[in-house]
Amino acid sequence: MMKKFSLQSKIIVIVLALLSILILSLSIIFFRMLSDTLTDLKGKQALAVAQSVSKMPAVIEAFKTNQPEEIIQPLVEDIRKETGATFIVVGNRDSVRYSHPMPERLGKKMVGGDNERALIRGESYVSHARGSLGPSVRGKVPIRNDQKEIIGVVSVGFLEDSIHDIVIPYRTRVLILVGVILLIGIIGSFFIGKGIKKAIFGLEPAEIAMQFKEKRAIIESVREGIIAIDQHGSITEINAKAHSILALDHQSSNRGRHILEVIPDTKMMDVLKTRESQLDDEISLNHHDLIVNRLPIFEEEEIVGVVASFRRKDEIDQLTKELSQVQEYAGILRSQTHEYRNKLNTIAGLIQLHHHEEALALIQEESSGYEDLIQFLLKAVPDPVLAGLIIGKYNRSQELKVSFSIHPDSSITTPLIDVQQEKLITIIGNILDNAFEEVLSRPFHNRRVQLFMTDLGDDFIFEIEDSGAGIQDIDSIFERGYSTKAGKDRGIGLHLVQRSVEHLNGYMTVENSELGGALFTISIPKQH
């Protein structure tokens, strides 16, 4: 199997082929022009010599004698040698030679058949014909006597072979020049090929085509919308998911359009100016909440574009909901396992100490407490997601040794839609977690957290209060990253709570609790 040529080899071959064709064509044109120019010059020279000879008195007078060749032959031979002409032939009206470089041809007819214009019409001209000495360029001039009558003709010629002999030295020089140019072409094409290979990261065209196809397949396969722009803001890439989310026409190509024509309120142009990434930005577009990431594209520290990826928030929220449910379930199992292990160890100890009545009382107390909570939630909170969240937090409180109670007048019987379930997991879960963490610094008997909820009226009302130290800086607690506790990944929970409340078109207040800590009141409209 033949090995395929590399891109660099192809470039060298193509450049050399083009140079060879170009140089060969130019050489042929040059030699043709040089030959035509020399032929034209020799023709003019031959005509000038012929005119001079035709007007010489000695030549004209010789035609009056019985032996004109004896006068004309030595005269024109001297002229031929001085001018370098191949031949100077003088003939009468019958084209009989009176002079010729080869004396034995005197008295014979002139060859070439091109004397008519001079002898009949009296014209002076340059002709190309094959004579007795070979192909030649000739100057023909009629000879006139004193009465202006045509008495003969002068033919001065240069063989075409002699003209070619003049061209040969130039041919050698041109061939040397051609060789130098080809050598420069080889060196130049090598560096051109090397430069192109470097610009395309050493890839071959087939590899580039394959990577392009893979890139297209990857971009179209992802479930996120992707848009890329260049440094001028023109769209260079947009996938089908982006068309779908932005409600753009799939048939029309948006590549090449300015990003502001497609998304007027985009912040991608800001990234071009600031050169800074924008991550997890929440925006509302076409009645959809989107999570957007915008990253600048750099090439040798110069920003050359921006790429943005975005996805509908409800898809992410759905994943968050499923993850939260799994986490809640895992938390319930962990808490129950830990708590029941402690209770079983206690019961086992009481039995070993023969305190059977105390062991039985502990079993009944544990069974009735958890069973009471289950029965209460089945009646007061029929929504399985919200009830499951409360049970999970109850088990968590038992694990942390925190007294978590639900106000007996609590009741949420109005069905919750998916988005309300999802957001309430974030709202109730984060506030309860903060409350549990806040009371851990208190003595065991004063670790209290209470939840009240009702759906009377047009709103869902939730009140969560704790016996912690309270909140000192209420204006800052909802800012992303703000926290009074040390450690990483802090200051996110309450920020998400506020965003979720706003998403449900609700509101939230924070004040001091009668228990000594903070009281969070959340109001969510039933109609979303």
Side-chain angles (χ1 to χ4, degrees):
M1 184 176 178
M2 293 183 64
K3 185 179 179 182
K4 293 183 178 180
F5 282 109
S6 66
L7 177 62
Q8 189 169 359
S9 300
K10 291 179 181 178
I11 291 173
I12 292 175
V13 171
I14 291 172
V15 170
L16 287 180
L18 290 175
L19 275 176
S20 300
I21 294 172
L22 180 61
I23 293 172
L24 179 61
S25 301
L26 290 176
S27 299
I28 293 173
I29 293 172
F30 170 77
F31 287 123
R32 183 75 179 184
M33 291 176 62
L34 179 61
S35 178
D36 290 346
T37 301
L38 289 174
T39 300
D40 185 60
L41 289 174
K42 289 297 182 181
K44 291 179 180 180
Q45 182 183 357
L47 185 62
V49 173
Q51 288 174 339
S52 299
V53 171
S54 69
K55 295 178 182 179
M56 292 179 65
V59 173
I60 297 173
E61 291 298 324
F63 272 80
K64 297 176 182 180
T65 65
N66 293 327
Q67 299 292 329
E69 63 274 12
E70 294 181 359
I71 300 172
I72 296 174
Q73 172 70 7
L75 179 62
V76 298
E77 273 299 298
D78 291 339
I79 296 173
R80 182 185 70 80
K81 293 176 182 178
E82 288 183 7
T83 59
T86 304
F87 61 85
I88 298 178
V89 177
V90 177
N92 61 15
R93 285 188 62 86
D94 297 325
S95 298
V96 175
R97 298 187 185 106
Y98 289 160
S99 67
H100 195 277
M102 302 176 69
E104 64 272 15
R105 296 184 180 180
L106 292 175
K108 295 181 180 180
K109 284 270 190 177
M110 298 172 68
V111 180
D114 54 347
N115 288 339
E116 287 79 4
R117 290 174 58 189
L119 293 173
I120 297 174
R121 302 177 188 174
E123 297 178 1
S124 299
Y125 54 91
V126 175
S127 69
H128 298 268
R130 175 180 289 275
S132 61
L133 297 177
S136 60
V137 56
R138 309 171 176 199
K140 297 279 186 175
V141 177
I143 301 173
R144 298 176 185 272
N145 58 18
D146 295 338
Q147 288 74 35
K148 304 299 180 181
E149 296 174 346
I150 299 174
I151 58 175
V153 63
V154 177
S155 178
V156 179
F158 294 88
L159 290 178
E160 292 182 359
D161 289 342
S162 65
I163 297 175
H164 294 159
D165 291 340
I166 299 174
V167 175
I168 289 175
Y170 291 97
R171 184 181 302 169
T172 304
R173 297 176 188 176
V174 170
L175 289 176
I176 294 174
L177 180 61
V178 167
V180 172
I181 293 175
L182 286 177
L183 180 61
I184 294 174
I186 293 173
I187 297 173
S189 60
F190 172 78
F191 284 104
I192 290 173
K194 189 175 182 181
I196 293 175
K197 288 282 285 185
K198 182 179 179 182
I200 59 177
F201 304 102
L203 298 175
E204 293 295 322
E207 295 173 324
I208 295 174
M210 179 57 68
Q211 289 200 8
F212 177 78
K213 293 177 181 177
E214 290 175 352
K215 170 200 163 190
R216 293 295 310 160
I218 291 171
I219 289 177
E220 294 299 337
S221 66
V222 297
R223 299 182 62 185
E224 292 188 349
I226 295 177
I227 296 181
I229 62 173
D230 59 20
Q231 64 267 38
H232 304 296
S234 298
I235 296 176
T236 58
E237 188 62 65
I238 178 169
N239 67 350
K241 189 65 175 180
H243 280 95
S244 175
I245 295 175
L246 299 175
L248 299 175
D249 186 5
H250 288 261
Q251 302 301 323
S252 62
S253 176
N254 289 289
R255 291 184 179 87
R257 295 179 62 188
H258 198 279
I259 187 63
L260 295 179
E261 296 178 11
V262 180
I263 313 175
D265 299 327
T266 183
K267 297 180 182 177
M268 295 180 73
M269 298 303 294
D270 296 337
V271 177
L272 277 177
K273 296 176 182 177
T274 62
R275 302 163 62 94
E276 295 180 356
S277 301
Q278 297 178 357
L279 304 177
D280 299 328
D281 185 20
E282 295 187 24
I283 65 171
S284 180
L285 189 64
N286 293 334
H287 308 292
H288 293 294
D289 291 332
L290 306 178
I291 302 295
V292 185
N293 293 298
R294 308 178 189 89
L295 289 87
I297 304 172
F298 290 98
E299 183 176 331
E300 296 181 356
E301 299 184 358
E302 288 293 328
I303 187 167
V304 294
V306 177
V307 61
S309 62
F310 47 93
R311 191 171 184 178
R312 289 179 181 172
K313 189 172 182 294
D314 53 5
E315 296 178 359
I316 299 176
D317 290 342
Q318 179 65 28
L319 295 175
T320 303
K321 176 182 176 181
E322 295 174 0
L323 179 60
S324 298
Q325 291 174 345
V326 172
Q327 290 176 334
E328 290 295 335
Y329 183 67
I332 291 172
L333 294 178
R334 185 180 66 252
S335 300
Q336 287 181 340
T337 300
H338 182 76
E339 187 66 20
Y340 282 118
R341 184 185 295 114
N342 292 336
K343 296 294 176 64
L344 287 175
N345 289 335
T346 302
I347 292 170
L350 290 173
I351 292 175
Q352 289 175 355
L353 295 173
H354 303 288
H355 295 292
H356 301 107
E357 294 182 0
E358 287 81 353
L360 182 61
L362 181 59
I363 293 172
Q364 292 175 343
E365 177 185 352
E366 178 62 25
S367 176
S368 65
Y370 196 75
E371 186 65 27
D372 289 344
L373 175 63
I374 297 296
Q375 293 300 321
F376 173 77
L377 290 176
L378 286 175
K379 295 178 181 180
V381 187
D383 185 88
V385 174
L386 183 57
L389 172 66
I390 294 172
I391 292 174
K393 295 306 178 185
Y394 175 80
N395 290 321
R396 177 61 176 164
S397 69
Q398 297 301 302
E399 182 180 354
L400 297 173
K401 306 299 181 184
V402 172
S403 176
F404 174 44
S405 62
I406 302 173
H407 196 282
D409 294 332
S410 295
S411 176
I412 297 288
T413 57
T414 303
L416 300 172
I417 61 176
D418 288 346
V419 67
Q420 290 173 334
Q421 290 177 339
E422 172 197 329
K423 298 302 180 183
L424 284 176
I425 289 175
T426 300
I427 296 168
I428 305 302
N430 276 287
I431 295 179
L432 285 177
D433 285 340
N434 283 353
F436 293 160
E437 189 173 357
E438 185 65 29
V439 301
L440 288 178
S441 60
R442 297 298 185 184
F444 286 106
H445 67 277
N446 195 27
R447 295 181 178 180
R448 291 182 295 166
V449 176
Q450 184 173 334
L451 169 64
F452 170 76
M453 49 191 169
T454 181
D455 58 357
L456 294 177
D458 296 329
D459 299 328
F460 297 109
I461 304 296
F462 299 89
E463 291 184 354
I464 301 173
E465 55 183 328
D466 61 68
S467 61
I471 298 176
Q472 304 301 323
D473 190 1
I474 295 178
D475 295 334
S476 302
I477 60 174
F478 298 111
E479 294 179 3
R480 187 180 182 93
Y482 175 84
S483 178
T484 59
K485 304 177 183 66
K488 295 182 179 180
D489 300 326
R490 293 284 188 175
I492 298 176
L494 289 180
H495 174 73
L496 294 177
V497 168
Q498 185 185 44
R499 295 292 297 271
S500 298
V501 171
E502 292 174 352
H503 185 85
L504 296 176
N505 298 321
Y507 67 89
M508 177 170 50
T509 61
V510 184
E511 54 188 307
N512 292 325
S513 167
E514 293 180 357
L515 298 180
L519 169 61
F520 286 80
T521 302
I522 301 99
S523 177
I524 305 296
K526 292 180 180 179
Q527 299 296 328
H528 179 66

